[in-house]
Amino acid sequence: MKKLVLSAVAVLASSFAYGQNMAVYKAEEQFNEEKFVEAEKTIIPALTNPKTKKLDYAYNLAGKIESRLLQKEIEKAARNEPLDTTLFINCLNRAVEFFTKSYEIEKAPDAKGKVKSKLEFHAENKKMIGQMMTYYAYAGQFENQRGNREGAYKAFVQYIEMPKNPVYTKAQADSIYKADANTYNKIGYYAAMLAYEMKDYDGVLKTVDFAIADPVARNDGYMMKLASHLAKKDTASWVKTSREAVAAIDNNPVYCNNLLFYYNSKKLNDEAKAMADELVQKAPNNKMAYYARGCVSMNTFKKYAEARQDFDKAIELDENFVEAIYNKGVSFVNELISLNLNTDTKSKDYQKTLEKARGYYSQAKPLFEKVQMLVPNKKELWAENLRSIYFNLDMKEKAKEMEDIIANK
């Protein structure tokens, strides 16, 4: 009698467990019959039902259902047919969520701290999540095409963060980022641009370093990053990023000039010198490093000869480096002014003064003439300087030519 009772209890328990998982089994049947919409409606309530057993299996099945719904939209896109972008993104998000959940449940230790010896869905979950990665890049493009910048940004960020999914180890994630660095950098650039357009400066800072890692987008990346620091009133980060930009980009003097202006306006003379020395040390083949140090020597410490040495080094690295050529010319003019020579025409030393002044003007002349040749449209850099130089060198016709240019601005 006792055995009979026990058998009855076992049957009841088995039936009860079967009843708990009926929805999952029904969803599997619908999935096999390719009734994916019906299968989705059946499986999703079961995932949050506390009576559902074998959740690792249930979530894996749910992920496969979503991936098949997603596949239909992908096929439309491949045929250049209109697709349901919202459905595409929702199915993608749910598929990734369900495969991840299945993976986590299967790997979770039991009450005794043991993990299942047989991981039935481990490899499949990981494989499917790997296949989903690229779809987030598509999702970002689809959202951007329909004018949803916020949705596009979110999708691009999801693409960037996919290697951090729990199915991957840190080493595996690093390997993925390294292998597809060019793509991640481009997607990061797109995301940063979208955030910048929306004035979402935290969003910019979240992704802009990917743009900076791309040589093509680096300049834009630094521009957006610096503007975001300023918008957030984070001066310390702005200074740090400016210094990085000067060292990293050797064809845009804006970073250097803005940084030098900051140090000068704050009267941080020692900090400016330390910054310039550090740049030269870290980037000895970067013309901007020497240009920065030359500007500090000339403008902050009035050491004109030292400044010219650095400007010469910068020009050696780029013979058409306008800013260095211009500032070398300025250094001769500024040094002459600093001498405070006696300009009294009745003085017995006036002729010597005149000859000394002409020496400085003669050295400055070819520099400003080259600036004129390189940037003829930027009259503010050479016209007035050449007018003064020609006048003091008694080159009346050339001086008049400059006066006419200035008058016709």
Side-chain angles (χ1 to χ4, degrees), residues 16-25 42-59 105:
F16 186 55
Y18 181 78
Q20 290 172 329
N21 293 285
M22 275 297 294
V24 179
Y25 298 142
T42 302
I43 193 71
I44 287 187
L47 298 175
T48 54
N49 189 331
K51 296 179 180 179
T52 302
K53 304 300 180 183
K54 292 195 68 177
L55 279 172
D56 51 353
Y57 162 70
Y59 273 105
I105 291 171

Side-chain angles (χ1 to χ4, degrees), residues 23-66:
V24 179
Y25 298 142
K26 183 179 179 181
E28 182 181 32
E29 183 179 329
Q30 292 168 327
F31 174 78
N32 291 332
E33 293 173 354
E34 298 192 3
K35 297 177 179 178
F36 304 123
V37 174
E38 293 86 343
E40 181 189 49
K41 291 178 181 177
T42 302
I43 193 71
I44 287 187
L47 298 175
T48 54
N49 189 331
K51 296 179 180 179
T52 302
K53 304 300 180 183
K54 292 195 68 177
L55 279 172
D56 51 353
Y57 162 70
Y59 273 105
N60 174 267
L61 175 60
K64 289 191 287 189
I65 292 168
E66 296 297 337

Side-chain angles (χ1 to χ4, degrees), residues 221-248:
Y222 272 119
M223 286 290 190
M224 289 188 289
K225 190 171 185 177
L226 288 167
S228 297
H229 288 321
L230 288 177
K232 289 169 63 65
K233 296 180 170 41
D234 186 350
T235 303
S237 294
W238 181 87
V239 171
K240 180 176 180 293
T241 300
S242 293
R243 294 175 69 158
E244 292 171 0
V246 173

Side-chain angles (χ1 to χ4, degrees), residues 296-310:
V296 171
S297 294
M298 179 176 72
N299 297 323
T300 304
F301 295 100
K302 315 303 180 188
K303 295 182 177 180
Y304 302 105
E306 289 184 19
R308 284 192 287 273
Q309 289 178 359
D310 280 322

Side-chain angles (χ1 to χ4, degrees), residues 271-290:
E271 288 84 348
K273 184 177 186 305
M275 177 274 297
D277 288 340
E278 182 184 343
L279 282 174
V280 170
Q281 183 180 5
K282 287 185 175 180
N285 294 315
N286 186 330
K287 65 184 183 184
M288 287 299 169
Y290 296 99

Side-chain angles (χ1 to χ4, degrees), residues 335-354:
E335 184 174 4
L336 173 59
I337 293 170
S338 72
L339 296 177
N340 197 23
L341 297 175
N342 186 350
T343 57
D344 183 359
T345 57
K346 296 179 180 180
S347 170
K348 63 178 181 179
D349 294 326
Y350 177 70
Q351 192 59 39
K352 290 182 180 179
T353 296
L354 192 59

Side-chain angles (χ1 to χ4, degrees), residues 156-199:
F156 286 142
V157 169
Q158 286 173 302
Y159 172 82
I160 290 170
E161 293 185 343
M162 276 294 282
K164 298 177 184 177
N165 187 284
V167 302
Y168 299 112
T169 64
K170 174 65 166 55
Q172 289 170 336
D174 291 343
S175 178
I176 293 169
Y177 282 125
K178 183 177 180 180
D180 295 323
N182 290 338
T183 303
Y184 283 105
N185 293 342
K186 283 181 173 55
I187 296 297
Y189 173 59
Y190 299 151
M193 285 287 289
L194 286 165
Y196 189 74
E197 289 171 1
M198 295 185 290
K199 294 182 170 49

